[in-house]
Amino acid sequence: TMAAVHNQLGVSAIQEGNYDEAKHELELALQGEPLYFAALGNLGVAYARAGDTPRAITCFQRATDLNPTYEQGHLNLGVLLAASGSL
């Protein structure tokens, strides 16, 4: 699907350190498939690496709400909550 293509482009941009491009691609993925929990998780990674912890936490919370068995989302959410002093 196009959402999967945008998700992969977002992941590649994260790996290259281009977080603005990553956020753009992942938002496009979510426009196509709003319940795409993995794209939400990847968007959380992009926000976290760009230093926007509140938005990253929101992304991980939404992703784990959509898929309660999304282990990486729970892990990332826990790490960010602990690092931000929210635990």
Side-chain angles (χ1 to χ4, degrees):
T1 67
M2 284 307 297
V5 170
H6 287 297
N7 182 59
Q8 188 54 52
L9 289 170
V11 169
S12 295
I14 289 170
Q15 292 168 344
E16 294 166 5
N18 188 342
Y19 306 124
D20 287 338
E21 180 183 341
K23 289 183 274 187
H24 174 73
E25 290 295 340
L26 294 163
E27 290 286 356
L28 289 174
L30 290 163
Q31 284 177 15
E33 290 185 36
L35 305 180
Y36 194 170
F37 72 90
L40 263 171
N42 291 328
L43 184 58
V45 171
Y47 277 121
R49 294 205 182 155
D52 191 340
T53 300
R55 282 196 176 141
I57 288 171
T58 298
C59 288
F60 293 131
Q61 286 173 328
R62 288 175 49 208
T64 55
D65 285 347
L66 287 171
N67 183 353
T69 64
Y70 179 36
E71 293 178 10
Q72 190 63 49
H74 284 288
L75 176 64
N76 290 343
L77 178 57
V79 167
L80 284 180
L81 289 173
S84 69
S86 297
L87 283 180

